Amino acid sequence: MHRPVVHRRDPRLEILTEGIEDVIPRATPAYLTVTVTETLPGTANPDGTPHTNTWTGRPADLAQHQFTRLYGRPRSQEPRSPLAQAEDAKRRRDLGGEIGALMSAGNALESAPWYPCRRGDVVLLAYPAAGDFPAHGETYVIDDAGDGLMSMKLVAHSSPLAQDEQEGYVGCYATEAADCPINEAWFEAGPHLLTIVRDGRPVHVGGAR
């Protein structure tokens, strides 16, 4: 049982956006724009063409306008993991966005002042509830795995799942030996769910509530 990637997007807004994008069958969403034109009767430009007012924007902009009229302003999106952002871009057929999300996350990790991990670092993951999976926390410790590699060992968790339900779910980011044992958790769970403590002091604090 593998932990699901958590998305925090309103499905109503996604349906509106996809409905606009589907006006042109099999179109690439990243290349689409929407134009709304008002043609004013009894008026003309110097060249004889009717006078118009025009709005042009992306399908997502029009969908958000419709959503706001129907339901009020959409709530700001909660942070998403780099992997979730890349998957969103992939669904839009936005190769640049997909690569950019992963490269940006990699650069943020490698440029962090506490990078790379050290022996004794404590890694805390705070998971929100997702479907049938309850909210819980996990605690890992970074250790020396030899040959210049590091491990990340699960030492505690607060999952209320029964023991036979925890396999492959609790502790799924434990790593026996890697150059960067935090890499998978950083990309898949997301830096917003991570808190890293070094020498008793937090050096990275995620934004999870």
Side-chain angles (χ1 to χ4, degrees):
M1 177 170 54
H2 196 270
R3 183 185 313 280
V5 177
V6 180
H7 296 271
R8 298 289 182 181
R9 301 188 66 179
D10 193 310
R12 297 172 297 178
L13 185 55
E14 290 186 338
I15 290 170
L16 287 171
T17 302
E18 291 171 0
I20 297 168
E21 294 170 346
D22 289 344
V23 170
I24 301 179
R26 297 180 297 280
T28 301
Y31 301 151
L32 286 175
T33 58
V34 179
T35 299
V36 179
T37 301
E38 175 193 26
T39 301
L40 301 177
T43 63
N45 294 313
D47 61 359
T49 59
H51 185 70
T52 61
N53 293 318
T54 302
W55 174 89
T56 300
R58 299 176 302 131
D61 297 331
L62 180 57
Q64 182 161 323
H65 176 77
Q66 294 175 313
F67 184 97
T68 301
R69 295 295 298 271
L70 289 168
Y71 310 111
R73 292 187 63 83
R75 292 177 297 177
S76 58
Q77 293 181 4
E78 295 183 24
R80 291 173 296 145
S81 71
L83 180 60
Q85 295 177 46
E87 289 178 347
D88 285 344
K90 185 175 182 178
R91 283 192 293 270
R92 299 193 304 268
R93 302 178 189 174
D94 180 3
L95 179 60
E98 181 182 357
I99 295 173
L102 299 176
M103 289 187 63
S104 177
N107 291 336
L109 174 60
E110 293 178 7
S111 64
W114 49 264
Y115 181 87
C117 293
R118 298 179 188 171
R119 183 176 182 272
D121 285 354
V122 177
V123 181
L124 309 174
L125 278 82
Y127 293 107
D132 295 332
F133 295 87
H136 76 285
E138 295 178 353
T139 302
Y140 296 84
V141 172
I142 304 297
D143 202 354
D144 187 353
D147 296 326
L149 303 177
M150 307 296 290
S151 66
M152 189 163 84
K153 302 175 181 178
L154 178 73
V155 295
H157 68 82
S158 61
S159 172
L161 293 176
Q163 187 68 35
D164 60 352
E165 295 178 303
Q166 293 176 7
E167 185 176 356
Y169 174 69
V170 170
C172 67
Y173 294 119
T175 304
E176 292 185 0
D179 290 325
C180 179
I182 200 175
N183 192 68
E184 186 177 0
W186 183 271
F187 281 87
E188 185 173 317
H192 62 292
L193 297 182
L194 296 174
T195 295
I196 300 169
V197 179
R198 174 172 295 167
D199 299 330
R201 296 181 180 275
V203 294
H204 172 83
V205 179
R209 291 189 296 274

